Amino acid sequence: MLLYVFALLIGMIAGLRAMTAPAAAAWAARLGWLPLAGYPLAWLGGLIPVLVLSALAALELIADQHPKTPSRKVPHQFIARVLTGAFAGAALMMPGTHWLRGMVIGAVGAVIGTFVGADFRGRLAARFGKDKPAAIIEDVVAVVGAFAIFFLAKTAI
């Protein structure tokens, strides 16, 4: 049951930062926190996927600071978050052979994370009087949260 919560949470992370969830999944597989050997996503722990997904996540963190970056709620941004949330949720639950459930739960988490994250960031930006501090706080929550989820999930897998 705990894995369902972790799948929802990693989906919510994807709602905050689309590429952070799959990058964290790749690192978790690489570090042995997510045992994917023998499963279709075993490639995720390879050096190239880790580097590529990490670079994409870093680029997203940089792009998010730009004032012309579109809202996370526009269709292409929203769909990307749902897909990466589904991917990360499936990866997290693959060792338990419930990857399809993880995919659905991760996608639901991404929807929640997208809307709750946008609202929270808007409120935080209003308190600061500018967006940048709110964006940085959201970045930290996404990155630290993603790695914490996979680290904690390793005992439940």
Side-chain angles (χ1 to χ4, degrees):
M1 188 63 167
L2 193 55
L3 280 180
Y4 293 101
V5 173
F6 288 131
L8 183 71
L9 291 173
I10 200 62
M12 291 175 72
I13 295 294
L16 301 179
R17 295 289 176 273
M19 296 309 301
T20 298
W27 275 103
R30 182 88 181 159
L31 295 171
W33 300 349
L34 183 61
L36 293 176
Y39 293 101
L41 290 181
W43 58 269
L44 189 59
L47 182 61
I48 292 174
V50 167
L51 294 176
V52 169
L53 290 169
S54 296
L56 290 171
L59 288 172
E60 181 184 23
L61 294 175
I62 293 165
D64 183 64
Q65 303 298 319
H66 195 276
K68 294 193 183 204
T69 299
S71 166
R72 70 185 82 200
K73 297 184 275 184
V74 300
H76 67 281
Q77 292 272 8
F78 183 72
I79 290 167
R81 291 164 195 279
V82 171
L83 291 175
T84 59
F87 178 80
L92 191 142
M93 292 191 65
M94 188 162 279
T97 68
H98 296 294
W99 65 270
L100 189 56
R101 292 177 192 167
M103 186 172 72
V104 171
I105 294 167
V108 169
V111 171
I112 294 167
T114 298
F115 290 104
V116 171
D119 181 62
F120 179 73
R121 179 167 166 179
R123 290 174 191 256
L124 206 53
R127 285 199 145 211
F128 285 118
K130 51 187 171 181
D131 185 62
K132 191 161 185 134
I136 292 170
I137 289 169
E138 188 179 19
D139 290 344
V140 170
V141 167
V143 173
V144 172
F147 281 93
I149 290 163
F150 280 106
F151 181 78
L152 294 171
K154 73 179 182 169
T155 59
I157 295 174

